[in-house]
mmCIF file of all heavy atoms in Angstrom:
data_model
loop_
_atom_site.group_PDB
_atom_site.id
_atom_site.type_symbol
_atom_site.label_atom_id
_atom_site.label_comp_id
_atom_site.label_asym_id
_atom_site.label_seq_id
_atom_site.Cartn_x
_atom_site.Cartn_y
_atom_site.Cartn_z
ATOM 1 N N LEU A 65 11.713 4.591 -6.561
ATOM 2 C CA LEU A 65 10.877 4.649 -7.760
ATOM 3 C C LEU A 65 11.122 5.899 -8.604
ATOM 4 O O LEU A 65 10.532 6.047 -9.663
ATOM 5 C CB LEU A 65 9.401 4.568 -7.377
ATOM 6 C CG LEU A 65 8.940 3.216 -6.824
ATOM 7 C CD1 LEU A 65 7.505 3.283 -6.338
ATOM 8 C CD2 LEU A 65 9.094 2.126 -7.885
ATOM 9 N N SER A 66 11.990 6.784 -8.145
ATOM 10 C CA SER A 66 12.368 7.924 -8.984
ATOM 11 C C SER A 66 13.812 7.851 -9.435
ATOM 12 O O SER A 66 14.163 8.364 -10.501
ATOM 13 C CB SER A 66 12.125 9.249 -8.244
ATOM 14 O OG SER A 66 12.917 9.328 -7.081
ATOM 15 N N ASP A 130 2.619 -7.907 -9.870
ATOM 16 C CA ASP A 130 2.022 -6.571 -9.811
ATOM 17 C C ASP A 130 2.143 -5.916 -8.441
ATOM 18 O O ASP A 130 2.199 -4.686 -8.337
ATOM 19 C CB ASP A 130 0.536 -6.649 -10.174
ATOM 20 C CG ASP A 130 0.303 -6.931 -11.642
ATOM 21 O OD1 ASP A 130 1.288 -7.059 -12.391
ATOM 22 O OD2 ASP A 130 -0.873 -7.034 -12.048
ATOM 23 N N TYR A 132 3.597 -6.254 -4.080
ATOM 24 C CA TYR A 132 4.718 -6.775 -3.306
ATOM 25 C C TYR A 132 4.396 -6.774 -1.821
ATOM 26 O O TYR A 132 3.252 -6.572 -1.431
ATOM 27 C CB TYR A 132 5.995 -5.968 -3.589
ATOM 28 C CG TYR A 132 5.766 -4.506 -3.866
ATOM 29 C CD1 TYR A 132 5.649 -3.579 -2.833
ATOM 30 C CD2 TYR A 132 5.656 -4.051 -5.186
ATOM 31 C CE1 TYR A 132 5.436 -2.241 -3.108
ATOM 32 C CE2 TYR A 132 5.433 -2.720 -5.464
ATOM 33 C CZ TYR A 132 5.326 -1.813 -4.427
ATOM 34 O OH TYR A 132 5.092 -0.487 -4.690
ATOM 35 N N TYR A 360 -3.885 7.190 -1.639
ATOM 36 C CA TYR A 360 -2.880 7.448 -2.677
ATOM 37 C C TYR A 360 -3.507 7.893 -3.997
ATOM 38 O O TYR A 360 -2.951 8.698 -4.727
ATOM 39 C CB TYR A 360 -2.093 6.154 -2.852
ATOM 40 C CG TYR A 360 -0.956 6.152 -3.821
ATOM 41 C CD1 TYR A 360 0.313 6.545 -3.416
ATOM 42 C CD2 TYR A 360 -1.107 5.690 -5.135
ATOM 43 C CE1 TYR A 360 1.389 6.490 -4.280
ATOM 44 C CE2 TYR A 360 -0.045 5.639 -6.006
ATOM 45 C CZ TYR A 360 1.203 6.040 -5.580
ATOM 46 O OH TYR A 360 2.265 5.985 -6.437
ATOM 47 N N THR A 363 -4.196 3.891 -9.459
ATOM 48 C CA THR A 363 -2.923 3.336 -9.944
ATOM 49 C C THR A 363 -3.057 2.754 -11.338
ATOM 50 O O THR A 363 -2.198 1.998 -11.785
ATOM 51 C CB THR A 363 -2.426 2.236 -8.990
ATOM 52 O OG1 THR A 363 -3.427 1.202 -8.904
ATOM 53 C CG2 THR A 363 -2.156 2.788 -7.608
ATOM 54 N N LYS A 365 -2.706 2.776 -15.172
ATOM 55 C CA LYS A 365 -1.916 3.501 -16.158
ATOM 56 C C LYS A 365 -2.827 4.067 -17.242
ATOM 57 O O LYS A 365 -3.809 3.451 -17.635
ATOM 58 C CB LYS A 365 -0.864 2.587 -16.791
ATOM 59 C CG LYS A 365 0.255 2.192 -15.844
ATOM 60 C CD LYS A 365 1.355 1.457 -16.572
ATOM 61 C CE LYS A 365 2.502 1.109 -15.613
ATOM 62 N NZ LYS A 365 3.613 0.433 -16.304
ATOM 63 N N ARG A 413 0.431 12.438 -3.828
ATOM 64 C CA ARG A 413 0.392 10.983 -3.638
ATOM 65 C C ARG A 413 0.663 10.624 -2.171
ATOM 66 O O ARG A 413 1.758 10.156 -1.827
ATOM 67 C CB ARG A 413 1.423 10.298 -4.528
ATOM 68 C CG ARG A 413 1.101 10.293 -6.003
ATOM 69 C CD ARG A 413 -0.105 9.416 -6.293
ATOM 70 N NE ARG A 413 -0.220 9.094 -7.721
ATOM 71 C CZ ARG A 413 -1.195 8.351 -8.239
ATOM 72 N NH1 ARG A 413 -2.128 7.860 -7.444
ATOM 73 N NH2 ARG A 413 -1.239 8.100 -9.520
ATOM 74 N N ASN A 433 4.145 12.024 -10.431
ATOM 75 C CA ASN A 433 4.394 10.903 -11.332
ATOM 76 C C ASN A 433 4.882 11.367 -12.702
ATOM 77 O O ASN A 433 4.545 12.456 -13.162
ATOM 78 C CB ASN A 433 3.117 10.085 -11.550
ATOM 79 C CG ASN A 433 2.721 9.270 -10.350
ATOM 80 O OD1 ASN A 433 1.626 9.404 -9.837
ATOM 81 N ND2 ASN A 433 3.617 8.406 -9.900
ATOM 82 N N ILE A 434 5.677 10.498 -13.340
ATOM 83 C CA ILE A 434 5.903 10.639 -14.772
ATOM 84 C C ILE A 434 4.547 10.501 -15.457
ATOM 85 O O ILE A 434 3.738 9.648 -15.085
ATOM 86 C CB ILE A 434 6.872 9.562 -15.289
ATOM 87 C CG1 ILE A 434 8.211 9.653 -14.552
ATOM 88 C CG2 ILE A 434 7.057 9.676 -16.793
ATOM 89 C CD1 ILE A 434 8.977 10.916 -14.775
ATOM 90 N N GLY A 436 1.299 9.523 -17.063
ATOM 91 C CA GLY A 436 0.718 8.264 -17.518
ATOM 92 C C GLY A 436 1.178 7.040 -16.764
ATOM 93 O O GLY A 436 0.641 5.954 -16.981
ATOM 94 N N ASP A 437 2.155 7.165 -15.855
ATOM 95 C CA ASP A 437 2.668 5.996 -15.145
ATOM 96 C C ASP A 437 2.662 6.274 -13.643
ATOM 97 O O ASP A 437 3.479 7.052 -13.145
ATOM 98 C CB ASP A 437 4.080 5.651 -15.599
ATOM 99 C CG ASP A 437 4.521 4.275 -15.128
ATOM 100 O OD1 ASP A 437 4.037 3.812 -14.071
ATOM 101 O OD2 ASP A 437 5.342 3.636 -15.815
ATOM 102 N N PRO A 438 1.742 5.620 -12.887
ATOM 103 C CA PRO A 438 1.653 5.877 -11.447
ATOM 104 C C PRO A 438 2.758 5.223 -10.628
ATOM 105 O O PRO A 438 2.784 5.374 -9.412
ATOM 106 C CB PRO A 438 0.285 5.285 -11.083
ATOM 107 C CG PRO A 438 0.096 4.178 -12.072
ATOM 108 C CD PRO A 438 0.717 4.660 -13.344
ATOM 109 N N ASN A 439 3.673 4.518 -11.288
ATOM 110 C CA ASN A 439 4.722 3.798 -10.571
ATOM 111 C C ASN A 439 6.101 4.434 -10.704
ATOM 112 O O ASN A 439 7.074 3.907 -10.157
ATOM 113 C CB ASN A 439 4.782 2.349 -11.050
ATOM 114 C CG ASN A 439 3.492 1.605 -10.788
ATOM 115 O OD1 ASN A 439 2.943 1.674 -9.693
ATOM 116 N ND2 ASN A 439 2.983 0.911 -11.792
ATOM 117 N N ILE A 440 6.214 5.534 -11.449
ATOM 118 C CA ILE A 440 7.493 6.216 -11.622
ATOM 119 C C ILE A 440 7.321 7.673 -11.230
ATOM 120 O O ILE A 440 6.336 8.311 -11.593
ATOM 121 C CB ILE A 440 7.999 6.104 -13.081
ATOM 122 C CG1 ILE A 440 8.108 4.631 -13.505
ATOM 123 C CG2 ILE A 440 9.365 6.784 -13.219
ATOM 124 C CD1 ILE A 440 8.550 4.435 -14.935
ATOM 125 N N PHE A 441 8.296 8.211 -10.488
ATOM 126 C CA PHE A 441 8.175 9.544 -9.923
ATOM 127 C C PHE A 441 9.279 10.473 -10.407
ATOM 128 O O PHE A 441 10.390 10.036 -10.731
ATOM 129 C CB PHE A 441 8.197 9.471 -8.394
ATOM 130 C CG PHE A 441 6.964 8.848 -7.813
ATOM 131 C CD1 PHE A 441 6.836 7.471 -7.738
ATOM 132 C CD2 PHE A 441 5.919 9.636 -7.360
ATOM 133 C CE1 PHE A 441 5.686 6.888 -7.220
ATOM 134 C CE2 PHE A 441 4.767 9.065 -6.851
ATOM 135 C CZ PHE A 441 4.650 7.689 -6.780
#
Side-chain angles (χ1 to χ4, degrees):
L65 291 174
S66 62
D130 289 359
Y132 34 84
Y360 182 87
T363 59
K365 290 188 178 182
R413 288 292 196 181
N433 288 123
I434 301 296
D437 193 332
N439 299 313
I440 304 178
F441 290 83

